[in-house]
């Protein structure tokens, strides 16, 4: 199918950008300001989903704005992989916007205008990255996302927030200003272009294997948002941010931008054949398998609920990368759809952590004995999302893990099947005790202080928990997009 010229990718980005501007202008009108984000999120999602029929039929939508140098342009291209990321980001912005209003109002947080403006801008950057037609455009939005989420991480402006935000910025900007920039320069020098090519931009270049290997690992570690060890430490440190920001960092925008960039690297910069020929797939698979297992072990040791969820994110992100680098079609489908699986489930878990904090002020799992009996919707949603992260049918997590397991067998790499199974056992070990303590734990004497669920906080988390189940029952949309990538 011929590429379709369309302004809709730009409109999707512009909606979020204009929402951020509107939030700033409505600083003194709280109720109107708060309504901007949910409205803009619905409009963005409508624009994004309107492009799905073209992409599902095998087409692409393109928009070239301007050229910087020969082979370097600021341009958009909507394809199947981009639609996975954009659909997830725009859909979850709707529920995240509603949740954020309830959370920020209940805790009477300061600087709410700055918060909502940065939140909207981060979604503009995420969707812009999803629709980037080349490495240049992708990295521009990647950097914007790093900068605009920095104020969200230091939102509380205390000593802990400054320390966490410093580590966040040092890791992300340090990686991009060093190895990522070097990778871009080398790619342009080798290929004369930065455009994404379905078979791989570097697939047929005249360059030595050692040079291409260096370029590959510069990208892998330069895209530090993917949190592949040892480039993961920024992620737990960023937990000092308010819970809606944690949800944004871990489920919607930031980390998903990281693994999305790695998928672009494998599929459209190097190409599956070149990655296999250089032996980079198996090397990366062992690296991310280490990340999957070690991050899960770290999660087991954390009593702070958000910290446990943070290390879980480090682990789960590497599922996406593992699926891609196993280089079997089934595994690649599993890795791609795990972007959506992890997003729906992990945002639910962070929403639940925020609901518990709003209702009771509790952060540590050991202090949550019996809280499920007083926050049944919250802890029920937490349990459902936990099952999805473990991979229990009929939740969404079962679908992606099933594809990943079959893909490991298809690739003839049984070691990674063992990794997946061991990881699922570890997932159960650090998720299920939270629900058990909440529902069946014995409260300390005098510990039954009155707590109640907050509607604007509880309704979004129930909705995302439902999405975790619905995607498990009806995964067709994301599977169809994933098949379009590997076709």
């Amino acid at each position: 199918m011929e590429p379709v010229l369309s302004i809709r990718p730009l409109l999707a980005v512009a909606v979020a950008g204009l929402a951020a501007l509107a939030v700033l202008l409505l600083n003194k009108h709280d109720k109107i300001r708060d309504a901007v984000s949910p409205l803009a999120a619905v409009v963005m999602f409508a624009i994004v989903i309107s492009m799905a029929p073209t992409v599902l039929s095998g087409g692409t939508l393109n928009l070239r704005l301007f050229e910087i140098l020969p082979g370097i342009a600021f341009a958009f291209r909507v394809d199947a992989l981009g639609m996975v990321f954009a659909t997830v980001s725009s859909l979850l912005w709707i529920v995240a916007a509603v949740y954020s209003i309830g959370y920020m109002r209940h805790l009477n947080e300061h600087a709410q205008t700055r918060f909502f403006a940065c939140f909207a801008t981060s979604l503009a950057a995420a969707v812009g990255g999803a629709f980037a037609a080349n490495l240049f455009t992708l990295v521009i939005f990647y950097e914007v996302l790093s900068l605009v989420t920095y104020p969200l991480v230091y939102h509380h402006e205390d000593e802990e927030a400054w320390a966490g935000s410093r580590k966040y910025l040092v890791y992300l900007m340090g990686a991009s200003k060093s190895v990522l920039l070097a990778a871009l320069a080398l790619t342009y020098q080798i290929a004369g272009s930065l455009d994404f090519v379905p078979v791989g931009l570097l697939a047929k270049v005249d360059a030595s294997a050692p040079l291409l290997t260096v370029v590959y690992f510069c990208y892998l570690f330069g895209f530090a948002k993917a949190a592949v060890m040892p480039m993961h430490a920024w992620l737990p440190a960023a937990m000092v941010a308010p819970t809606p920001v944690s949800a944004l960092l871990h489920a919607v925008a930031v980390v998903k931008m990281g693994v999305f960039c790695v998928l672009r690297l494998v599929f459209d910069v190097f190409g599956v054949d070149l990655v296999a020929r250089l032996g980079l797939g198996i090397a990366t698979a062992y690296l991310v398998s280490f990340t999957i297992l070690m991050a899960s072990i770290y999660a087991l040791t954390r009593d702070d609920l958000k910290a446990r969820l943070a290390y879980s994110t480090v682990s789960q992100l590497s599922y996406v990368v593992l699926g891609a680098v196993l280089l079997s079609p089934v595994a690649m489908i599993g890795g791609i759809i795990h972007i959506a699986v992890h997003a729906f489930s992990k945002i639910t878990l962070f929403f639940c952590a925020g609901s518990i904090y709003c209702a009771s002020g509790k952060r540590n799992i050991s202090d949550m004995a019996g809280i499920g009996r007083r926050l049944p919707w919250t802890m029920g949603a937490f349990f459902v999302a936990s099952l999805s992260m473990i991979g229990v049918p009929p939740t969404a997590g079962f679908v992606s893990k099933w594809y990943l397991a079959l893909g490991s067998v298809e690739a003839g790499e049984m070691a990674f099947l063992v990794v997946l199974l061991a990881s699922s056992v570890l997932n159960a070990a650090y998720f299920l005790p939270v629900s058990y303590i909440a529902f069946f734990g014995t409260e300390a004497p005098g510990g039954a202080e009155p707590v109640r669920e907050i509607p604007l906080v509880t309704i979004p988390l129930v909705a995302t928990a439902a999405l975790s189940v619905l995607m498990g029952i009806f995964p067709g949309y994301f599977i169809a997009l994933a098949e379009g990538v590997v076709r």
Side-chain angles (χ1 to χ4, degrees), residues 52-421:
T54 300
V55 175
L56 287 170
S57 63
T60 60
L61 296 95
N62 295 264
L63 181 64
R64 192 179 183 90
L65 296 179
F66 53 86
E67 189 169 80
I68 307 295
L69 291 170
I72 302 180
F74 191 84
F76 294 104
R77 180 175 179 269
V78 183
D79 61 6
L81 183 58
M83 276 298 297
V84 172
F85 184 24
T87 300
V88 169
S89 298
S90 57
L91 175 59
L92 290 182
W93 187 24
I94 300 173
V95 288
V98 175
Y99 179 91
S100 298
I101 293 168
Y103 183 95
M104 301 299 278
R105 282 183 180 178
H106 182 78
L107 295 179
N108 196 27
E109 288 278 1
H110 76 293
Q112 291 190 30
T113 296
R114 181 185 70 194
F115 174 91
F116 285 112
C118 289
F119 207 102
T121 308
S122 69
L123 268 297
V127 173
F131 293 153
N134 52 55
L135 281 165
F136 174 76
T137 309
L138 179 62
V139 170
I140 291 294
F141 283 114
Y142 182 94
E143 299 288 17
V144 169
L145 186 59
S146 298
L147 292 172
V148 80
T149 49
Y150 174 64
L152 295 174
V153 177
Y154 74 63
H155 177 82
H156 288 137
E157 299 181 24
D158 53 19
E159 186 175 341
E160 187 182 17
W162 288 115
S165 62
R166 260 196 315 272
K167 181 175 284 190
Y168 176 81
L169 203 60
V170 166
Y171 268 80
L172 297 190
M173 297 303 291
S176 61
K177 296 303 180 188
S178 53
V179 289
L180 182 55
L181 185 60
L184 284 173
L186 287 169
T187 301
Y188 185 68
Q189 177 65 29
I190 294 168
S193 172
L194 296 178
D195 289 344
F196 295 134
V197 179
V199 297
L201 172 64
L202 300 176
K204 297 181 180 179
V205 298
D206 182 17
S208 67
L211 176 59
L212 291 172
T213 300
V214 168
V215 172
Y216 176 87
F217 281 105
C218 282
Y219 278 122
L220 184 65
F221 293 116
F223 291 130
K225 289 185 178 73
V228 175
M229 289 183 172
M231 305 300 292
H232 70 289
W234 64 270
L235 208 156
M239 288 303 93
V240 296
T243 302
V245 178
S246 300
L248 173 76
L249 294 173
H250 289 256
V252 183
V254 177
V255 295
K256 292 301 181 301
M257 177 70 95
V259 291
F260 174 78
C261 289
V262 174
L263 294 186
R264 283 292 189 204
L265 168 67
V266 173
F267 297 142
D268 297 327
V269 178
F270 275 72
V272 172
D273 291 341
L274 180 58
V275 171
R277 192 164 69 246
L278 295 174
L280 296 172
I282 193 70
T284 309
Y286 278 110
L287 179 63
V288 298
S289 293
F290 176 79
T291 301
I292 288 170
L293 296 177
M294 283 305 301
S296 295
I297 292 169
Y298 276 121
L300 275 170
T301 67
R302 296 308 188 264
D303 188 39
D304 184 287
L305 181 55
K306 283 176 65 177
R308 182 171 294 195
L309 296 178
Y311 279 105
S312 168
T313 296
V314 175
S315 174
Q316 293 281 334
L317 289 175
S318 283
Y319 281 101
V320 178
V321 181
L322 179 62
V325 299
L326 282 173
L327 306 180
S328 77
V330 175
M332 289 189 282
I333 290 171
I336 293 166
I337 63 176
H338 198 71
I339 291 176
V341 168
H342 179 259
F344 294 151
S345 304
K346 187 53 65 69
I347 200 171
T348 303
L349 295 169
F350 273 105
F351 281 177
C352 292
S355 178
I356 294 167
Y357 181 71
C358 280
S360 66
K362 298 182 186 298
R363 297 178 184 270
N364 293 334
I365 298 164
S366 57
D367 296 330
M368 295 178 185
I371 203 167
R373 296 190 288 273
R374 288 177 285 148
L375 302 176
W377 288 102
T378 295
M379 294 313 303
F382 188 97
F383 180 65
V384 170
S386 296
L387 295 181
S388 182
M389 289 285 86
I390 295 165
V392 177
T395 61
F398 172 75
V399 179
S400 60
K401 289 193 176 185
W402 178 256
Y403 272 89
L404 288 167
L406 289 180
S408 300
V409 175
E410 182 182 67
E413 299 290 349
M414 303 307 292
F416 302 113
L417 177 61
V418 173
V419 169
L420 291 168
L421 295 175

